[in-house]
Amino acid sequence: MPERSPLVRGMRDLYAEELASIRIVESVFGDTLKSYGYEHIRLPTMERTALFSRGIGESTDAVAKEMFSFDDETDSLSLRPEGTASCVRAVIDANMYRGNQPKLWYVGSMFRHERPQLGRYREFYQVGAEAFGFNGPDVDAELIRIVQDVWERLEVNEEITLEVNSLGNTASRIRHRDALVEYLEGYREDLDADSQKRLELNPLRILDSKNEHTQQIIERAPNMSDYLDDESKRHFDEFQERLVRFDIRATMNPRLVRGLDYYTHAVFEWNTERLGAQKQVGGGGRYDGLCELLGGAPCAAAGFAIGVDRVALLRNELGLSTPSYTPDVYVLALSDDEDEYARQVAAQLRTTSSYSVRVHQGGGKVKARMRAADRSGARIALIIGAQEAASNQVSLKWLRINREQVTVPVTDLPTTLLNSN
Ligand code: AMP
């Protein structure tokens, strides 16, 4: 017997309720972003590895340890670990920001070679938005308001908290970085191995360390907020004022640096306590230097990315309902003679209602046809025998509740179904 080919580790088949709840999250994000004037962009799943190593940074886990990369004839290619670098590349390639301020959103799968667990997969879904050409901080605060709108629509707002921080402009970052390195050098031997490596590559990331001993050391490390220059302070103050005006509650977290190299000024993260170890549902911030870093003209930019799978998990955890993908209605002729009439009834119902309608196929005896209707998961069976076919009628049988079967003219079917919920 040929061997079965098992699912690749960290990959998932998504269907039924799990897919339904992912699609709800994606569609509420899409609708909300559209309502704020953001335009949909579909980005490729694969890019040159260099785009990510330059754009996201060699020192981040997402690039250094977690990329799915391979060589083709000319180049090293990678499955995208996130969407921002591709989005910036697309804007540069099409010169979209010339005389324009594009606001774009995307949704799609991202790939990271992590240890799979609940809420952490090797292929997962993100929805993100990026605004180009705005110096902010009004656009930064609006990005957060958009996400807050989504949390409210998805009924998860009570379970998600927002943390903010400022990384300041480049000059402030450099001053803070120097002070941080000087401080950490004093504890070099006590830092965990990863943090020791980061001391040269990206010392800011050490503030992210989960290592307990390192965390004790960084307790007393110099705070970014003490190194912000006047311009950076103004930017952040205004950002915070706008959040208040937009009715957004946020907590200041001076240790919040985001994993990625390219952030400046405001950075933010959304967390939940309901998903165990996978607390972070999304994050974002301003990255004014990225366009230039990727070979484009200088262009201010800010955005966010949300982990769709985690928001969907959170909705399930809260017991929020998801529509099911089973058909609403199963149309079955009692014999092959009425098959054509059954098909016509189904076709008509599809055009006059939004029900999902399945027609019985594969023939069989009455009992087998009824069993198939029941197994389909449909709520209602439309039964068509010789009598119904002759008189333009259908019989409705409720498959999930105890209700008496009725026979109605086909023209009355939409109203009868509507009143039967
Ligand atoms: P990041 O691009 O690392 O800021 O990630 C943005 C969001 O994507 C995170 O807040 C998570 O919600 C989600 N995310 C990141 N990695 C994974 C993963 N391996 N599986 C599921 N969701 C993820």
Side-chain angles (χ1 to χ4, degrees):
M1 239 203 343
E3 256 182 59
R4 290 204 340 212
S5 180
L7 192 64
V8 173
R9 189 164 139 86
M11 303 289 130
R12 291 163 299 159
D13 297 315
L14 292 170
Y15 51 93
E17 276 78 15
E18 203 177 357
L19 178 60
S21 60
I22 281 180
R23 287 192 55 176
I24 290 179
V25 176
E26 291 178 345
S27 78
V28 172
F29 262 107
D31 292 348
T32 309
L33 281 156
K34 185 166 176 275
S35 78
Y36 277 84
Y38 277 70
E39 194 188 321
H40 194 183
I41 182 166
R42 194 172 286 197
L43 298 159
T45 322
M46 208 192 301
E47 297 270 9
R48 281 173 220 285
T49 304
L51 174 72
F52 301 119
S53 43
R54 258 164 62 204
I56 309 176
E58 300 274 13
S59 64
T60 58
D61 286 348
V63 167
K65 300 187 196 153
E66 296 165 1
M67 281 220 287
F68 285 92
S69 304
F70 59 95
D71 292 326
D72 80 344
E73 301 88 50
T74 53
D75 234 327
S76 169
L77 304 178
S78 292
L79 296 178
R80 59 182 180 192
E82 54 98 66
T84 300
S86 299
C87 198
V88 172
R89 182 203 43 70
V91 165
I92 297 171
D93 281 356
N95 215 351
M96 271 187 237
Y97 48 22
R98 191 153 164 224
N100 208 349
Q101 293 172 304
K103 287 183 163 181
L104 304 170
W105 74 273
Y106 60 82
V107 59
S109 44
M110 307 295 158
F111 302 83
R112 293 184 196 177
H113 201 283
E114 300 189 85
R115 197 169 62 80
Q117 51 197 290
L118 188 76
R120 186 175 290 279
Y121 313 102
R122 292 186 173 179
E123 178 179 20
F124 61 99
Y125 296 85
Q126 276 188 353
V127 59
E130 323 282 356
F132 296 89
F134 299 89
N135 287 315
D138 48 353
V139 74
D140 315 37
E142 189 190 70
L143 283 164
I144 289 178
R145 185 60 244 179
I146 294 172
V147 175
Q148 181 65 21
D149 279 5
V150 174
W151 297 154
E152 287 167 14
R153 281 178 200 166
L154 290 172
E155 300 172 78
V156 294
N157 47 310
E158 296 291 337
E159 300 298 334
I160 294 179
T161 53
L162 170 68
E163 291 186 348
V164 297
N165 190 21
S166 174
L167 302 181
N169 57 14
T170 314
S172 305
R173 277 187 74 162
I174 292 173
R175 286 199 305 137
H176 173 246
R177 183 192 159 110
D178 290 348
L180 186 64
V181 172
E182 195 185 321
Y183 169 81
L184 291 172
E185 281 290 358
Y187 297 91
R188 181 181 272 274
E189 298 311 314
D190 302 324
L191 294 172
D192 59 281
D194 269 348
S195 296
Q196 288 189 12
K197 267 184 247 151
R198 286 181 180 139
L199 207 48
E200 273 84 45
L201 286 168
N202 185 358
L204 210 56
R205 282 270 349 247
I206 299 175
L207 301 182
D208 255 351
S209 171
K210 301 283 176 283
N211 181 289
E212 249 176 61
H213 191 60
T214 302
Q215 274 180 348
Q216 279 172 12
I217 297 172
I218 59 185
E219 279 287 309
R220 294 181 308 276
N223 259 338
M224 183 69 227
S225 53
D226 297 326
Y227 292 82
L228 296 182
D229 62 14
D230 287 346
E231 186 225 327
S232 304
K233 265 194 211 129
R234 245 195 332 273
H235 204 279
F236 195 53
D237 287 348
E238 210 185 305
F239 169 71
Q240 287 183 298
E241 277 162 29
R242 283 191 190 257
L243 290 187
V244 173
R245 259 192 277 156
F246 287 175
D247 225 9
I248 307 276
R249 254 176 299 156
T251 316
M252 176 73 192
N253 175 1
R255 300 272 169 254
L256 177 67
V257 292
R258 308 274 306 134
L260 310 178
D261 281 347
Y262 50 63
Y263 286 101
T264 48
H265 292 293
V267 287
F268 29 92
E269 256 172 38
W270 291 272
N271 296 298
T272 181
E273 291 302 323
R274 298 292 289 249
L275 297 179
Q278 314 313 324
K279 292 194 179 351
Q280 207 200 105
V281 290
R286 175 158 287 280
Y287 46 89
D288 290 342
L290 186 59
C291 287
E292 217 177 346
L293 189 69
L294 293 178
C299 181
F304 65 73
I306 307 290
V308 171
D309 312 79
R310 294 192 188 164
V311 182
L313 274 175
L314 176 59
R315 279 179 54 84
N316 295 350
E317 178 69 26
L318 297 174
L320 294 165
S321 65
T322 44
S324 113
Y325 274 165
T326 50
D328 302 301
V329 177
Y330 194 94
V331 184
L332 70 143
L334 292 182
S335 78
D336 292 349
D337 294 341
E338 294 90 35
D339 265 355
E340 182 49 25
Y341 179 64
R343 198 190 57 76
Q344 286 169 13
V345 169
Q348 204 177 335
L349 190 57
R350 288 190 198 105
T351 51
T352 53
S353 76
S354 57
Y355 290 116
S356 70
V357 184
R358 216 189 260 191
V359 183
H360 179 76
Q361 285 169 320
K365 299 218 172 73
V366 170
K367 212 168 153 195
R369 291 174 191 234
M370 289 304 297
R371 208 169 37 228
D374 193 42
R375 281 203 190 133
S376 76
R379 264 186 326 115
I380 293 169
L382 298 186
I383 301 171
I384 293 165
Q387 216 181 336
E388 282 89 353
S391 56
N392 267 337
Q393 290 185 312
V394 297
S395 293
L396 281 79
K397 182 177 167 63
W398 281 268
L399 298 170
R400 315 285 154 215
I401 52 171
N402 210 350
R403 188 184 283 187
E404 206 171 326
Q405 186 167 321
V406 294
T407 303
V408 298
V410 171
T411 43
D412 289 356
L413 192 54
T415 9
T416 317
L417 283 171
L418 207 64
N419 295 333
S420 75
N421 283 334

